[in-house]
Coordinates of all heavy atoms in Angstrom, one line a residue:
C627 N -9.5 2.7 -8.5 CA -9.2 3.7 -7.4 C -8.7 3.0 -6.2 O -7.7 3.5 -5.5 CB -10.5 4.4 -7.1 SG -11.1 5.5 -8.4
L628 N -9.2 1.8 -5.9 CA -8.7 1.0 -4.7 C -7.3 0.5 -5.0 O -6.5 0.5 -4.1 CB -9.7 -0.2 -4.4 CG -11.1 0.2 -3.9 CD1 -11.9 -1.1 -3.8 CD2 -11.0 0.9 -2.6
I629 N -7.0 0.1 -6.2 CA -5.7 -0.3 -6.6 C -4.7 0.8 -6.4 O -3.6 0.6 -5.9 CB -5.7 -0.9 -8.0 CG1 -6.4 -2.2 -8.1 CG2 -4.3 -1.0 -8.5 CD1 -6.6 -2.7 -9.5
A630 N -5.1 2.0 -6.9 CA -4.2 3.2 -6.7 C -3.9 3.5 -5.3 O -2.8 3.8 -4.9 CB -4.8 4.4 -7.4
F631 N -4.9 3.3 -4.4 CA -4.8 3.6 -3.0 C -3.8 2.5 -2.4 O -2.9 2.9 -1.6 CB -6.1 3.5 -2.3 CG -6.1 3.8 -0.8 CD1 -6.1 5.1 -0.3 CD2 -6.1 2.7 0.1 CE1 -6.0 5.3 1.0 CE2 -6.0 3.0 1.5 CZ -6.0 4.3 1.9
V632 N -4.0 1.3 -2.8 CA -3.1 0.2 -2.3 C -1.7 0.4 -2.8 O -0.7 0.2 -2.0 CB -3.7 -1.2 -2.7 CG1 -2.7 -2.3 -2.3 CG2 -5.0 -1.4 -2.0
L633 N -1.5 0.8 -4.0 CA -0.2 1.0 -4.6 C 0.5 2.2 -3.8 O 1.7 2.1 -3.6 CB -0.3 1.3 -6.1 CG -0.6 0.2 -7.0 CD1 -0.8 0.6 -8.4 CD2 0.4 -0.9 -6.9
S634 N -0.2 3.2 -3.5 CA 0.4 4.3 -2.7 C 0.8 3.8 -1.3 O 1.9 4.2 -0.9 CB -0.6 5.4 -2.6 OG -1.0 5.9 -3.8
I635 N 0.0 3.0 -0.7 CA 0.4 2.5 0.6 C 1.7 1.6 0.5 O 2.6 1.7 1.3 CB -0.7 1.7 1.3 CG1 -1.9 2.6 1.5 CG2 -0.3 1.0 2.5 CD1 -1.7 3.6 2.6
V636 N 1.7 0.7 -0.6 CA 2.8 -0.1 -0.8 C 4.1 0.7 -1.1 O 5.2 0.4 -0.6 CB 2.6 -1.1 -2.0 CG1 3.8 -1.8 -2.4 CG2 1.5 -2.1 -1.6
L637 N 3.9 1.8 -1.8 CA 5.0 2.7 -2.1 C 5.6 3.3 -0.8 O 6.9 3.4 -0.7 CB 4.6 3.8 -3.0 CG 5.7 4.7 -3.6 CD1 6.6 3.9 -4.5 CD2 5.0 5.9 -4.4
L638 N 4.8 3.6 0.2 CA 5.3 4.1 1.4 C 6.1 3.1 2.2 O 7.1 3.4 2.8 CB 4.1 4.6 2.3 CG 3.3 5.8 1.8 CD1 2.2 6.1 2.8 CD2 4.2 7.0 1.6
F639 N 5.7 1.8 2.1 CA 6.4 0.7 2.7 C 7.8 0.5 2.0 O 8.8 0.3 2.7 CB 5.6 -0.6 2.7 CG 4.6 -0.7 3.8 CD1 3.3 -0.4 3.6 CD2 4.9 -1.0 5.1 CE1 2.3 -0.4 4.6 CE2 4.0 -1.1 6.1 CZ 2.7 -0.8 5.9
L640 N 7.8 0.6 0.7 CA 9.0 0.5 -0.1 C 10.0 1.6 0.3 O 11.2 1.4 0.4 CB 8.7 0.5 -1.6 CG 8.0 -0.7 -2.1 CD1 7.7 -0.5 -3.6 CD2 8.8 -2.0 -1.9
F641 N 9.5 2.8 0.5 CA 10.3 3.9 0.8 C 10.9 3.7 2.2 O 12.0 4.3 2.5 CB 9.6 5.2 0.8 CG 9.4 5.8 -0.6 CD1 8.4 6.7 -0.9 CD2 10.2 5.4 -1.6 CE1 8.2 7.2 -2.1 CE2 10.0 5.9 -2.9 CZ 9.1 6.8 -3.2
R642 N 10.2 3.0 3.1 CA 10.8 2.8 4.4 C 11.8 1.7 4.5 O 12.8 1.8 5.1 CB 9.7 2.6 5.4 CG 10.2 2.3 6.8 CD 9.1 2.1 7.8 NE 9.7 1.8 9.2 CZ 9.0 1.6 10.2 NH1 7.6 1.5 10.2 NH2 9.5 1.3 11.4
Y643 N 11.5 0.6 3.8 CA 12.3 -0.6 4.0 C 13.4 -0.9 2.9 O 14.4 -1.4 3.1 CB 11.4 -1.8 4.1 CG 10.6 -1.8 5.3 CD1 9.2 -1.5 5.3 CD2 11.1 -2.0 6.6 CE1 8.4 -1.5 6.4 CE2 10.3 -1.9 7.7 CZ 8.9 -1.7 7.6 OH 8.2 -1.6 8.7
V644 N 13.1 -0.5 1.6 CA 14.0 -0.7 0.6 C 14.4 0.6 -0.2 O 14.6 0.5 -1.4 CB 13.5 -1.8 -0.4 CG1 13.3 -3.1 0.3 CG2 12.1 -1.4 -1.0
V645 N 14.3 1.7 0.5 CA 14.6 2.9 -0.1 C 16.0 3.1 -0.7 O 16.3 3.7 -1.7 CB 14.2 4.1 0.8 CG1 15.2 4.1 2.0 CG2 14.2 5.4 0.1
A646 N 16.9 2.4 0.1 CA 18.3 2.5 -0.4 C 18.5 1.8 -1.8 O 19.1 2.4 -2.7 CB 19.2 1.8 0.6
F647 N 17.8 0.7 -1.9 CA 17.9 0.0 -3.2 C 17.2 0.9 -4.3 O 17.8 1.0 -5.4 CB 17.1 -1.3 -3.1 CG 17.0 -2.1 -4.4 CD1 18.1 -2.8 -4.9 CD2 15.8 -2.0 -5.1 CE1 18.0 -3.4 -6.1 CE2 15.7 -2.7 -6.3 CZ 16.8 -3.4 -6.8
V648 N 16.1 1.5 -4.0 CA 15.4 2.3 -5.0 C 16.3 3.5 -5.4 O 16.4 3.9 -6.6 CB 14.0 2.8 -4.4 CG1 13.4 3.8 -5.4 CG2 13.1 1.6 -4.2
V649 N 16.8 4.2 -4.4 CA 17.6 5.4 -4.7 C 18.8 5.1 -5.5 O 19.1 5.8 -6.5 CB 18.0 6.1 -3.3 CG1 19.0 7.2 -3.6 CG2 16.8 6.7 -2.7
W650 N 19.6 4.1 -5.1 CA 20.8 3.8 -5.8 C 20.5 3.2 -7.2 O 21.3 3.5 -8.2 CB 21.7 2.8 -5.0 CG 22.4 3.5 -3.9 CD1 22.1 3.4 -2.6 CD2 23.4 4.5 -4.0 NE1 22.9 4.2 -1.8 CE2 23.7 4.9 -2.7 CE3 24.1 5.1 -5.1 CZ2 24.7 5.8 -2.4 CZ3 25.0 6.0 -4.8 CH2 25.4 6.4 -3.5
I651 N 19.4 2.5 -7.4 CA 19.0 2.0 -8.7 C 18.7 3.2 -9.6 O 19.1 3.3 -10.8 CB 17.8 1.1 -8.6 CG1 18.3 -0.3 -8.1 CG2 17.2 0.9 -10.0 CD1 19.2 -1.0 -9.1
V652 N 18.0 4.2 -9.1 CA 17.7 5.4 -9.8 C 19.0 6.2 -10.2 O 19.2 6.6 -11.4 CB 16.8 6.3 -9.0 CG1 16.7 7.7 -9.7 CG2 15.4 5.7 -8.9
L653 N 19.9 6.4 -9.3 CA 21.1 7.1 -9.6 C 22.0 6.3 -10.6 O 22.6 6.9 -11.5 CB 21.9 7.3 -8.3 CG 21.3 8.3 -7.3 CD1 22.1 8.4 -6.0 CD2 21.1 9.6 -7.9
I654 N 22.1 5.0 -10.4 CA 22.9 4.2 -11.3 C 22.3 4.3 -12.7 O 23.0 4.4 -13.7 CB 23.1 2.8 -10.8 CG1 24.0 2.8 -9.5 CG2 23.7 1.9 -11.9 CD1 24.0 1.4 -8.9
G655 N 21.0 4.2 -12.7 CA 20.3 4.3 -14.0 C 20.5 5.6 -14.7 O 20.7 5.6 -15.9
V656 N 20.5 6.7 -14.0 CA 20.8 8.0 -14.6 C 22.2 8.1 -15.1 O 22.4 8.6 -16.2 CB 20.5 9.1 -13.5 CG1 21.0 10.5 -14.1 CG2 19.0 9.2 -13.2
V657 N 23.1 7.6 -14.4 CA 24.5 7.6 -14.8 C 24.7 6.7 -16.1 O 25.3 7.1 -17.0 CB 25.5 7.1 -13.7 CG1 26.9 6.9 -14.2 CG2 25.4 8.1 -12.5
V658 N 24.1 5.5 -16.1 CA 24.2 4.6 -17.2 C 23.6 5.2 -18.5 O 24.2 5.2 -19.6 CB 23.6 3.2 -16.9 CG1 23.5 2.4 -18.1 CG2 24.4 2.5 -15.8
V659 N 22.4 5.8 -18.3 CA 21.8 6.4 -19.5 C 22.6 7.6 -20.0 O 22.7 7.8 -21.2 CB 20.3 6.9 -19.1 CG1 19.7 7.7 -20.2 CG2 19.4 5.7 -18.8
S660 N 23.2 8.4 -19.1 CA 24.0 9.5 -19.5 C 25.2 9.0 -20.3 O 25.6 9.6 -21.3 CB 24.4 10.3 -18.3 OG 23.2 10.8 -17.6
V661 N 25.9 8.0 -19.8 CA 27.1 7.5 -20.4 C 26.8 6.9 -21.8 O 27.4 7.3 -22.8 CB 27.8 6.4 -19.5 CG1 28.9 5.7 -20.3 CG2 28.3 7.0 -18.3
F662 N 25.7 6.1 -21.9 CA 25.4 5.5 -23.2 C 24.9 6.6 -24.2 O 25.2 6.5 -25.4 CB 24.3 4.4 -23.0 CG 24.9 3.1 -22.6 CD1 25.0 2.7 -21.3 CD2 25.5 2.3 -23.6 CE1 25.5 1.5 -21.0 CE2 26.0 1.0 -23.3 CZ 26.1 0.6 -21.9
G663 N 24.1 7.6 -23.6 CA 23.7 8.7 -24.5 C 24.9 9.5 -25.0 O 24.9 9.8 -26.2
T664 N 25.8 9.7 -24.2 CA 27.0 10.4 -24.7 C 27.8 9.6 -25.7 O 28.2 10.2 -26.7 CB 27.9 10.8 -23.5 OG1 27.2 11.5 -22.5 CG2 29.2 11.6 -23.9
I665 N 28.0 8.4 -25.4 CA 28.7 7.5 -26.4 C 28.0 7.5 -27.7 O 28.6 7.6 -28.8 CB 28.9 6.1 -25.8 CG1 29.8 6.1 -24.6 CG2 29.4 5.1 -26.9 CD1 29.9 4.8 -23.9
Y666 N 26.6 7.4 -27.7 CA 25.8 7.4 -28.9 C 26.0 8.6 -29.7 O 26.2 8.6 -30.9 CB 24.4 7.1 -28.6 CG 23.5 7.3 -29.8 CD1 23.3 6.4 -30.8 CD2 22.7 8.5 -30.0 CE1 22.5 6.5 -31.9 CE2 21.9 8.7 -31.0 CZ 21.8 7.7 -32.0 OH 21.0 7.9 -33.1
L667 N 26.0 9.8 -29.0 CA 26.2 11.1 -29.7 C 27.5 11.2 -30.4 O 27.7 11.7 -31.5 CB 25.9 12.2 -28.8 CG 24.5 12.5 -28.3 CD1 24.4 13.5 -27.2 CD2 23.6 12.8 -29.5
W668 N 28.6 10.7 -29.7 CA 29.9 10.8 -30.3 C 30.0 9.9 -31.5 O 30.6 10.2 -32.5 CB 31.0 10.5 -29.3 CG 31.3 11.6 -28.4 CD1 31.1 11.7 -27.0 CD2 32.0 12.8 -28.7 NE1 31.5 12.9 -26.5 CE2 32.1 13.6 -27.5 CE3 32.5 13.3 -29.9 CZ2 32.7 14.9 -27.5 CZ3 33.1 14.6 -29.9 CH2 33.2 15.3 -28.7
V669 N 29.5 8.7 -31.4 CA 29.5 7.7 -32.5 C 28.7 8.3 -33.7 O 29.1 8.2 -34.8 CB 28.9 6.3 -32.1 CG1 28.8 5.4 -33.3 CG2 29.9 5.7 -31.0

């Protein structure tokens, strides 16, 4: 429970200082997964 509390606090710090990295990694990951999934279906 304490670990979950600490992780939530750490997450807030990440959202403030490295949120750009997190957001763009998520978006790029979604695009990459979509592209590879589409290629796999066609193959």
